[in-house]
Structures are given as structure tokens and as C-alpha cells.
Amino acid sequence: MTDDGMTPSAMPAWDGPERYTVVSADCHGGGEINEYRAYLPSRLHEEFDAWVRHYEVPYPDLLGDAGKRNWDSDRRLRDLEDDGVVAEVIYPNTVPPFFPKASLTDQPPAANAGDLKLRWEGLKAHNRWMADFCAKTPGRRAGIVQVMLHDLDAAIEEIRWAKEAGLTGGLLLPGTPPGSGLVELWNYEHYKPLWQAAEELGIPVNHHTGSAAPPIGDTLTDKVVFLTEVSWWAHRAFTHLIVSGTMDKHPELQFVFTEQGTAWIPEECRRLDYYWHRMGTAVGSQEYEWGHELVASMELKPSEYWARQCHVGASFQRPAEAALRYAVGVDRVMWGSDYPHKEASHPFSREALQLTYNGIDPAEVAAMVGGNAAKLYGFDLDFLAPIAAEVGPEVAKVWQPLRPEDVPKGAAKCPAFVGVPGVQP
């Protein structure tokens, strides 16, 4: 259905190709645990061998055939092409050497300095594996470099290496949750060297949901609390990067907020703009007393920083979120499948795209499902066009509403299908 719930009229004139070039701005991958050994310094091989003997895979979807989707290059390429996707941005997924859990969602405080050093070597091994993995399919994978924030000099050295190594996905910015011992992102002077390096290198700064939440326990209640709050913790980075002056002082830096939903953005921009206005003009108020100096020092209001420097990695975007595209910015939205996670739109991405983007001008859809990500991450659309011509979703089909009988069995796993009759209430 269209934004107003009506059946779409005739599709607007479209002089583009018959199929969309789809770039998933949110995929995940990593090496099988033993693959990382070759990427560690030889001095650590014996220690790695001892560690891996006692290592147990903590996530069922990293086992067996499902796990292979993370590191089997040919399998992965087939899966994505079957799903209508021709290129991808790859966030981490597997567990790096010496880590207890996946590094995307958990960088716990080290037990001691030696443990911290080991985990850093493990992350670097992952980065080098990722560079080789992306090189297997030139022009179709943008790998993201991981760093730790405990040693900024080492982090900066690593992102410089990543730029040279061809990891075009940019930097994965870890969260700084309470209790982590890390300096909060709103401390500009502390992180200034990192922002300067990222701006100089011209790389995007990605913030994925998961890493900003405080540590949780293992009870069912802990897990439900995590699920209901994890995105909120991630959203805070947007505010912190504004109030710190980071966006103001580094206007060329581009920030990506991925797998955090889309609907929160217009409301958060309105809320922050309201406070900016009060802090700037409401003489005599508490807001003015505490905030006028900071607001007066900045060039823009929060919604304008969003429009200039921010993007949303819109994983399995819902129809209601697509209806907010003008408030978010059509040029800011980057669709993602979240492959190979349980909630991913794979293998139903063609239907998910049709459900979400039917009745929307194809020029806007082309931007949101591929063009925006290609521009930010440096994919060559001309290079991808022949592949998309073979496997991409048909523009004319995406324009049409998804019929209830065409909703695939098993679609309930993916949030994109929430509210579809017969799928979920």
C-alpha cells in the first residue's frame, strides 16, 4: 500500500534500469575461529592454540551450515544474489580470538592489561581477515574496521592501516556504556585525535546498536530488558556527538546509525531542537542557565547536523518508517537486510522491499535501497549495474503492493513484516 493506505496509481515516469541496484548497508560476517590463527603474530600462536582448545561457540547460529554464511565467500555471494542484493557493508559477527563474546555487542573491561592486549590482537586479526574476505569479491563488499577505545593512538594507527588495506566501510565506533571504564563520547578533547584522523581519511564513522548498552546478566528478565532498551542506548551517541561539538568542529565527518530503527530520528531531532531553542532564548529558565553557552558556540541546531552529517542504516525497514522518509531525509536512508542474523529479511528481501517501498517514486527507492550507500561507501554503481540487471528486484514489481498470498512462509522472523495480516498482530 502507499503512504496513505491507498492502492498506488500508475508508476511515475522512470528512465532508470528495469531492476534496482540493491546495496545492503547492514550485513554481518567474520572468520571461522581457526581461520584467525594465520592473522595473529606468530608469537601468539601457542597462546591461541591453548585458548581455542577450550573455546565453545556461544551462539547457535555460528554453528553448522548457518555459521558458514559468515565466512564462506561463494555461499554468501549466492545467498545475497538470490535475495536481490548485489553489494554489502559488512559489520562483525563472529567471535574474535581471546574474546568471550562477539565484539560487536560486547567489549567487556579487561581482567588485566595482558588480557586487553590479547583482545586487541584478536580484533586486528579480524580486520586483516576482513580485508582478505572483501578482496575475494572486488567492488562488492565494504568491510568495517574494528577498534578499541582504550588506546587511541593504536586505534588511529589501525584505521590508517584499514584505509590502505581497502576496508571501505570505515570505522566501527564502539559504545562507551556506563561501567566500561571508557571515556564518554561527549568528551571532545579526549577523542579529538580520532575525529581528526577519520575526517582526514574521509571515512564514515558507523555506530551499530548493541555496543552502547551496559553489561547484562543471563536471566530471562535481563535479556528482555536488553531487547527493549538496546536501541535507546545506541541513540544516545547522536546526542553525545552533537553536544560534544564533534559534528560542529568536523563538518566533513559522516556518521551512520545502524540497526537502530528509523522512526526515532524525526522525534529525536524535534526534541533536541526544542531544547536548543529553550537553551538559546528562554532567559531566566534552567535550560538557558545551563545550556546557552554551549548552544551559542554551535553553528547549527540538531536537526541540521542530522541533515548535513548523519545517515541511518535502515535494517529491514518497515512501511511506516518509509512513510517518514522526508522527515528523515530520502538521501539519508540506507536499507539493509541484516544478513545472516535470525531477524534478517533474507531470504525474503524481495518481498520485504515490495512491502515497504510499493507506491513510492522509483527514484527515491533507488536512492534508499542502494544509491545512498553506494555514494557513502564508494561502491561503483556502473560496475554493479550488470549484476543488478540479472538479479536485482524489478522496479515495476516493487511498485505494486505485496499481496497477502505472496507473503512468504516464515516472514514473521523479520520485523519488516510486523503488522502484515496473517504474519503478526
Side-chain angles (χ1 to χ4, degrees):
M1 303 297 284
T2 58
D3 292 352
D4 59 7
M6 304 298 289
T7 301
S9 57
M11 190 173 76
W14 167 244
D15 60 0
E18 294 181 0
R19 296 175 182 266
Y20 287 119
T21 299
V22 179
V23 177
S24 173
D26 181 31
C27 287
H28 297 265
E32 190 276 327
I33 192 65
N34 292 290
E35 290 182 321
Y36 287 126
R37 187 180 192 273
Y39 294 95
L40 288 166
S42 58
R43 60 182 168 79
L44 292 178
H45 285 177
E46 185 175 340
E47 194 158 5
F48 172 80
D49 293 342
W51 175 81
V52 83
R53 278 197 295 271
H54 300 286
Y55 169 79
E56 294 184 7
V57 178
Y59 309 110
D61 59 352
L62 293 182
L63 295 169
D65 187 62
K68 293 177 183 177
R69 297 176 298 174
N70 289 279
W71 55 79
D72 185 329
S73 181
D74 293 339
R75 160 75 181 278
R76 188 180 184 99
L77 208 58
R78 287 195 304 270
D79 281 355
L80 291 175
E81 288 186 356
D82 288 346
D83 212 29
V85 177
V86 299
E88 58 173 332
V89 179
I90 309 180
Y91 288 84
N93 197 42
T94 59
V95 180
F98 310 117
F99 270 73
K101 298 179 181 179
S103 55
L104 177 68
T105 58
D106 195 81
Q107 289 195 16
N112 53 61
D115 187 47
L116 189 64
K117 289 179 180 178
L118 284 175
R119 293 185 191 181
W120 176 231
E121 294 293 345
L123 274 194
K124 290 196 294 183
H126 169 84
N127 292 337
R128 282 142 187 81
W129 176 92
M130 182 64 75
D132 282 352
F133 189 68
C134 291
K136 291 180 179 179
T137 57
R140 301 187 66 179
R141 291 173 179 156
I144 293 178
V145 61
Q146 291 191 88
V147 299
M148 300 176 86
L149 298 178
H150 304 76
D151 183 339
L152 289 185
D153 288 339
I156 291 168
E157 182 181 351
E158 187 70 359
I159 66 173
R160 291 190 185 280
W161 168 85
K163 177 76 172 184
E164 291 295 321
L167 286 177
T168 56
L171 165 69
L172 178 59
L173 179 65
T176 56
S180 66
L182 294 169
V183 176
E184 290 277 13
L185 290 178
W186 65 62
N187 188 319
Y188 172 74
E189 288 302 323
H190 180 79
Y191 290 110
K192 180 179 177 179
L194 184 67
W195 308 136
Q196 288 176 327
E199 188 173 40
E200 173 198 333
L201 295 169
I203 61 172
V205 177
N206 307 277
H207 188 65
H208 194 286
T209 192
S211 69
I216 63 165
D218 200 40
T219 69
L220 292 179
T221 304
D222 286 316
K223 293 175 181 178
V224 170
V225 169
F226 177 81
L227 284 172
T228 56
E229 292 185 350
V230 64
S231 292
W232 177 84
W233 285 102
H235 299 342
R236 295 169 75 236
F238 174 54
T239 304
H240 295 177
L241 290 166
I242 294 174
V243 300
S244 66
T246 301
M247 292 187 185
D248 197 68
K249 296 178 175 68
H250 301 279
E252 299 302 316
L253 268 182
Q254 298 296 303
F255 296 90
V256 185
F257 300 86
T258 296
E259 205 174 329
Q260 304 178 25
T262 305
W264 66 278
I265 296 162
E267 177 56 32
E268 186 66 359
C269 286
R270 283 192 294 269
R271 186 180 75 88
L272 294 176
D273 282 358
Y274 163 81
Y275 275 109
W276 248 241
H277 179 72
R278 291 283 298 169
M279 289 186 291
T281 64
V283 177
S285 71
Q286 192 68 64
E287 296 101 317
Y288 184 87
E289 180 181 337
W290 284 358
H292 75 276
E293 184 176 344
L294 183 145
V295 168
S297 71
M298 294 188 178
E299 178 187 358
L300 304 175
K301 58 185 181 181
S303 61
E304 292 170 332
Y305 286 115
W306 175 272
R308 185 177 76 178
Q309 293 175 253
C310 299
H311 311 258
V312 57
S315 309
F316 36 73
Q317 194 176 32
R318 303 163 180 83
E321 293 173 313
L324 298 171
R325 62 192 179 279
Y326 298 124
V328 175
V330 173
D331 62 336
R332 305 283 111 183
V333 176
M334 303 185 300
W335 177 87
S337 71
D338 198 33
Y339 175 92
H341 283 170
K342 292 178 181 178
E343 67 272 23
S345 58
H346 174 270
F348 315 127
S349 293
R350 296 175 190 275
E351 292 85 358
L353 290 168
Q354 187 178 356
L355 174 68
T356 297
Y357 296 118
N358 73 83
I360 296 178
D361 188 324
E364 296 179 0
V365 177
M368 293 187 287
V369 304
N372 294 337
K375 181 179 180 180
L376 183 67
Y377 293 107
F379 289 105
D380 184 340
L381 288 174
D382 290 335
F383 169 77
L384 295 174
I387 308 168
E390 295 292 329
V391 305
E394 296 177 13
V395 173
K397 188 169 185 178
V398 172
W399 171 260
Q400 297 298 324
L402 183 69
R403 300 179 303 177
E405 60 266 32
D406 291 334
V407 176
K409 183 179 180 180
K413 78 181 184 74
C414 178
F417 294 91
V418 169
V420 175
V423 176
Q424 282 183 238

CSV table of all heavy atoms in Angstrom, one decimal, residues 333-367:
chain,number,residue,atom,x,y,z
A,333,VAL,N,18.7,7.7,4.1
A,333,VAL,CA,18.2,6.3,4.4
A,333,VAL,C,19.0,5.3,3.6
A,333,VAL,O,19.1,5.5,2.3
A,333,VAL,CB,16.7,6.2,4.1
A,333,VAL,CG1,16.3,4.7,4.3
A,333,VAL,CG2,15.9,7.1,5.0
A,334,MET,N,19.5,4.3,4.2
A,334,MET,CA,20.3,3.2,3.5
A,334,MET,C,19.7,1.9,4.0
A,334,MET,O,20.0,1.4,5.2
A,334,MET,CB,21.8,3.3,3.8
A,334,MET,CG,22.4,4.6,3.5
A,334,MET,SD,24.2,4.7,3.7
A,334,MET,CE,24.4,4.4,5.4
A,335,TRP,N,19.0,1.2,3.2
A,335,TRP,CA,18.3,-0.1,3.5
A,335,TRP,C,19.4,-1.1,3.8
A,335,TRP,O,20.4,-1.2,3.2
A,335,TRP,CB,17.4,-0.5,2.4
A,335,TRP,CG,16.8,-1.8,2.6
A,335,TRP,CD1,15.6,-2.1,3.3
A,335,TRP,CD2,17.3,-3.1,2.2
A,335,TRP,NE1,15.3,-3.5,3.3
A,335,TRP,CE2,16.3,-4.1,2.6
A,335,TRP,CE3,18.4,-3.5,1.5
A,335,TRP,CZ2,16.5,-5.5,2.4
A,335,TRP,CZ3,18.6,-4.9,1.2
A,335,TRP,CH2,17.7,-5.8,1.7
A,336,GLY,N,19.0,-2.0,4.7
A,336,GLY,CA,19.9,-3.2,5.0
A,336,GLY,C,19.1,-4.4,5.3
A,336,GLY,O,18.0,-4.4,5.8
A,337,SER,N,19.7,-5.6,4.9
A,337,SER,CA,19.0,-6.9,5.1
A,337,SER,C,19.3,-7.5,6.5
A,337,SER,O,18.5,-8.3,7.0
A,337,SER,CB,19.3,-7.8,4.0
A,337,SER,OG,20.7,-8.3,4.2
A,338,ASP,N,20.4,-7.1,7.1
A,338,ASP,CA,20.9,-7.7,8.3
A,338,ASP,C,21.3,-9.2,8.2
A,338,ASP,O,21.4,-9.9,9.1
A,338,ASP,CB,19.9,-7.6,9.4
A,338,ASP,CG,20.4,-7.8,10.8
A,338,ASP,OD1,21.6,-7.4,11.0
A,338,ASP,OD2,19.7,-8.3,11.7
A,339,TYR,N,21.6,-9.6,7.0
A,339,TYR,CA,22.1,-11.0,6.7
A,339,TYR,C,23.4,-11.2,7.5
A,339,TYR,O,24.3,-10.3,7.6
A,339,TYR,CB,22.4,-11.1,5.2
A,339,TYR,CG,23.1,-12.4,4.8
A,339,TYR,CD1,22.3,-13.5,4.4
A,339,TYR,CD2,24.5,-12.5,4.8
A,339,TYR,CE1,22.9,-14.7,4.0
A,339,TYR,CE2,25.1,-13.7,4.4
A,339,TYR,CZ,24.3,-14.8,4.0
A,339,TYR,OH,24.9,-16.0,3.6
A,340,PRO,N,23.6,-12.3,8.2
A,340,PRO,CA,22.8,-13.5,8.2
A,340,PRO,C,22.1,-13.7,9.5
A,340,PRO,O,21.8,-14.8,9.9
A,340,PRO,CB,23.8,-14.6,8.0
A,340,PRO,CG,25.0,-14.1,8.8
A,340,PRO,CD,25.0,-12.6,8.7
A,341,HIS,N,21.7,-12.6,10.2
A,341,HIS,CA,21.1,-12.7,11.5
A,341,HIS,C,19.7,-13.4,11.4
A,341,HIS,O,19.0,-13.4,10.4
A,341,HIS,CB,21.0,-11.4,12.2
A,341,HIS,CG,22.3,-10.9,12.7
A,341,HIS,ND1,22.5,-9.6,13.2
A,341,HIS,CD2,23.5,-11.5,12.9
A,341,HIS,CE1,23.7,-9.5,13.6
A,341,HIS,NE2,24.3,-10.7,13.5
A,342,LYS,N,19.2,-13.9,12.6
A,342,LYS,CA,17.9,-14.5,12.6
A,342,LYS,C,16.8,-13.6,12.1
A,342,LYS,O,15.8,-14.1,11.5
A,342,LYS,CB,17.6,-15.0,14.1
A,342,LYS,CG,18.5,-16.1,14.6
A,342,LYS,CD,18.2,-16.4,16.0
A,342,LYS,CE,19.1,-17.5,16.5
A,342,LYS,NZ,18.8,-17.9,18.0
A,343,GLU,N,16.8,-12.3,12.5
A,343,GLU,CA,15.8,-11.4,12.2
A,343,GLU,C,16.0,-10.8,10.8
A,343,GLU,O,15.2,-9.9,10.4
A,343,GLU,CB,15.7,-10.3,13.2
A,343,GLU,CG,16.9,-9.4,13.3
A,343,GLU,CD,18.0,-9.8,14.2
A,343,GLU,OE1,18.1,-11.1,14.5
A,343,GLU,OE2,18.8,-9.0,14.7
A,344,ALA,N,16.9,-11.2,10.1
A,344,ALA,CA,17.2,-10.6,8.7
A,344,ALA,C,16.1,-10.8,7.8
A,344,ALA,O,15.3,-11.7,7.9
A,344,ALA,CB,18.5,-11.3,8.1
A,345,SER,N,16.0,-9.9,6.8
A,345,SER,CA,15.0,-10.0,5.8
A,345,SER,C,15.3,-11.1,4.8
A,345,SER,O,14.5,-11.6,4.1
A,345,SER,CB,14.8,-8.7,5.0
A,345,SER,OG,16.0,-8.3,4.4
A,346,HIS,N,16.6,-11.6,4.8
A,346,HIS,CA,17.0,-12.7,4.0
A,346,HIS,C,16.3,-14.0,4.5
A,346,HIS,O,16.2,-14.2,5.7
A,346,HIS,CB,18.5,-12.9,4.1
A,346,HIS,CG,19.0,-14.2,3.4
A,346,HIS,ND1,19.1,-15.4,4.1
A,346,HIS,CD2,19.3,-14.4,2.1
A,346,HIS,CE1,19.5,-16.3,3.2
A,346,HIS,NE2,19.7,-15.8,2.0
A,347,PRO,N,15.7,-14.8,3.7
A,347,PRO,CA,15.7,-14.8,2.2
A,347,PRO,C,14.5,-14.2,1.6
A,347,PRO,O,14.1,-14.5,0.5
A,347,PRO,CB,15.8,-16.3,1.9
A,347,PRO,CG,14.9,-16.9,3.0
A,347,PRO,CD,15.2,-16.1,4.2
A,348,PHE,N,13.9,-13.2,2.3
A,348,PHE,CA,12.6,-12.6,1.9
A,348,PHE,C,12.8,-11.2,1.5
A,348,PHE,O,11.9,-10.4,1.5
A,348,PHE,CB,11.6,-12.7,3.0
A,348,PHE,CG,11.5,-14.1,3.6
A,348,PHE,CD1,11.5,-14.2,5.0
A,348,PHE,CD2,11.3,-15.2,2.9
A,348,PHE,CE1,11.4,-15.4,5.6
A,348,PHE,CE2,11.3,-16.5,3.5
A,348,PHE,CZ,11.3,-16.6,4.9
A,349,SER,N,14.0,-10.8,1.1
A,349,SER,CA,14.3,-9.3,0.9
A,349,SER,C,13.5,-8.8,-0.3
A,349,SER,O,13.0,-7.6,-0.2
A,349,SER,CB,15.8,-9.1,0.7
A,349,SER,OG,16.5,-9.3,1.9
A,350,ARG,N,13.2,-9.5,-1.3
A,350,ARG,CA,12.5,-9.0,-2.4
A,350,ARG,C,11.0,-8.7,-2.0
A,350,ARG,O,10.5,-7.6,-2.3
A,350,ARG,CB,12.4,-10.1,-3.6
A,350,ARG,CG,13.7,-10.4,-4.2
A,350,ARG,CD,13.6,-11.5,-5.2
A,350,ARG,NE,15.0,-12.0,-5.6
A,350,ARG,CZ,15.7,-11.4,-6.6
A,350,ARG,NH1,15.2,-10.4,-7.3
A,350,ARG,NH2,16.9,-11.9,-6.9
A,351,GLU,N,10.5,-9.6,-1.2
A,351,GLU,CA,9.1,-9.3,-0.7
A,351,GLU,C,9.1,-8.1,0.3
A,351,GLU,O,8.2,-7.3,0.4
A,351,GLU,CB,8.5,-10.6,0.0
A,351,GLU,CG,8.2,-11.7,-1.0
A,351,GLU,CD,9.4,-12.6,-1.3
A,351,GLU,OE1,10.5,-12.3,-0.8
A,351,GLU,OE2,9.3,-13.5,-2.1
A,352,ALA,N,10.2,-8.1,1.2
A,352,ALA,CA,10.3,-7.0,2.1
A,352,ALA,C,10.4,-5.7,1.5
A,352,ALA,O,9.8,-4.7,1.9
A,352,ALA,CB,11.5,-7.2,3.1
A,353,LEU,N,11.2,-5.6,0.4
A,353,LEU,CA,11.3,-4.3,-0.4
A,353,LEU,C,10.0,-3.9,-1.0
A,353,LEU,O,9.6,-2.8,-1.0
A,353,LEU,CB,12.4,-4.5,-1.4
A,353,LEU,CG,13.8,-4.6,-0.9
A,353,LEU,CD1,14.8,-5.0,-2.0
A,353,LEU,CD2,14.3,-3.3,-0.3
A,354,GLN,N,9.3,-4.9,-1.5
A,354,GLN,CA,8.0,-4.6,-2.1
A,354,GLN,C,7.0,-4.1,-1.1
A,354,GLN,O,6.2,-3.2,-1.3
A,354,GLN,CB,7.4,-5.9,-2.8
A,354,GLN,CG,6.2,-5.6,-3.6
A,354,GLN,CD,5.7,-6.9,-4.4
A,354,GLN,OE1,6.4,-7.9,-4.3
A,354,GLN,NE2,4.6,-6.8,-5.0
A,355,LEU,N,7.0,-4.8,0.1
A,355,LEU,CA,6.1,-4.4,1.2
A,355,LEU,C,6.3,-3.0,1.6
A,355,LEU,O,5.4,-2.2,1.8
A,355,LEU,CB,6.3,-5.4,2.3
A,355,LEU,CG,5.5,-5.0,3.6
A,355,LEU,CD1,4.0,-5.2,3.4
A,355,LEU,CD2,6.0,-5.9,4.8
A,356,THR,N,7.6,-2.6,1.7
A,356,THR,CA,8.0,-1.3,2.3
A,356,THR,C,7.9,-0.2,1.3
A,356,THR,O,7.5,0.9,1.6
A,356,THR,CB,9.4,-1.4,2.9
A,356,THR,OG1,9.3,-2.4,4.0
A,356,THR,CG2,9.8,-0.1,3.5
A,357,TYR,N,8.3,-0.4,0.1
A,357,TYR,CA,8.5,0.7,-0.9
A,357,TYR,C,7.5,0.7,-2.0
A,357,TYR,O,7.7,1.5,-2.9
A,357,TYR,CB,9.9,0.6,-1.4
A,357,TYR,CG,11.0,0.7,-0.4
A,357,TYR,CD1,11.9,-0.3,-0.1
A,357,TYR,CD2,11.1,1.9,0.3
A,357,TYR,CE1,12.9,-0.1,0.8
A,357,TYR,CE2,12.1,2.1,1.3
A,357,TYR,CZ,13.0,1.1,1.5
A,357,TYR,OH,14.0,1.3,2.5
A,358,ASN,N,6.5,-0.1,-2.0
A,358,ASN,CA,5.5,0.0,-3.0
A,358,ASN,C,4.8,1.3,-3.1
A,358,ASN,O,4.6,2.0,-2.0
A,358,ASN,CB,4.4,-1.2,-2.9
A,358,ASN,CG,3.5,-0.9,-1.8
A,358,ASN,OD1,2.5,-0.2,-1.9
A,358,ASN,ND2,3.7,-1.5,-0.6
A,359,GLY,N,4.5,1.8,-4.3
A,359,GLY,CA,3.9,3.1,-4.4
A,359,GLY,C,4.7,4.3,-4.2
A,359,GLY,O,4.3,5.4,-4.3
A,360,ILE,N,6.0,4.1,-4.0
A,360,ILE,CA,7.0,5.2,-3.8
A,360,ILE,C,7.8,5.4,-5.1
A,360,ILE,O,8.1,4.5,-5.7
A,360,ILE,CB,7.9,4.9,-2.6
A,360,ILE,CG1,7.1,4.8,-1.3
A,360,ILE,CG2,9.0,6.0,-2.5
A,360,ILE,CD1,8.0,4.4,-0.1
A,361,ASP,N,8.0,6.7,-5.4
A,361,ASP,CA,8.7,7.1,-6.6
A,361,ASP,C,10.0,6.2,-6.7
A,361,ASP,O,10.8,6.2,-5.8
A,361,ASP,CB,9.0,8.6,-6.5
A,361,ASP,CG,9.6,9.1,-7.8
A,361,ASP,OD1,10.3,8.4,-8.5
A,361,ASP,OD2,9.3,10.3,-8.1
A,362,PRO,N,10.1,5.6,-7.9
A,362,PRO,CA,11.3,4.7,-8.0
A,362,PRO,C,12.6,5.4,-7.9
A,362,PRO,O,13.6,4.8,-7.4
A,362,PRO,CB,11.2,4.2,-9.5
A,362,PRO,CG,9.7,4.2,-9.7
A,362,PRO,CD,9.2,5.4,-9.0
A,363,ALA,N,12.7,6.7,-8.2
A,363,ALA,CA,13.9,7.5,-8.0
A,363,ALA,C,14.3,7.5,-6.5
A,363,ALA,O,15.5,7.4,-6.1
A,363,ALA,CB,13.8,8.9,-8.5
A,364,GLU,N,13.3,7.7,-5.6
A,364,GLU,CA,13.5,7.7,-4.2
A,364,GLU,C,13.9,6.3,-3.7
A,364,GLU,O,14.8,6.1,-2.9
A,364,GLU,CB,12.3,8.2,-3.5
A,364,GLU,CG,11.9,9.6,-3.8
A,364,GLU,CD,10.7,10.0,-3.0
A,364,GLU,OE1,10.1,9.2,-2.3
A,364,GLU,OE2,10.3,11.2,-3.2
A,365,VAL,N,13.2,5.3,-4.2
A,365,VAL,CA,13.5,3.9,-3.8
A,365,VAL,C,15.0,3.5,-4.2
A,365,VAL,O,15.7,3.0,-3.4
A,365,VAL,CB,12.5,2.9,-4.4
A,365,VAL,CG1,12.9,1.5,-4.1
A,365,VAL,CG2,11.1,3.2,-4.0
A,366,ALA,N,15.3,3.9,-5.4
A,366,ALA,CA,16.7,3.6,-5.9
A,366,ALA,C,17.8,4.2,-5.0
A,366,ALA,O,18.8,3.6,-4.8
A,366,ALA,CB,16.9,4.1,-7.3
A,367,ALA,N,17.5,5.4,-4.5
A,367,ALA,CA,18.4,6.0,-3.6
A,367,ALA,C,18.5,5.3,-2.2
A,367,ALA,O,19.6,4.9,-1.7
A,367,ALA,CB,18.0,7.5,-3.3
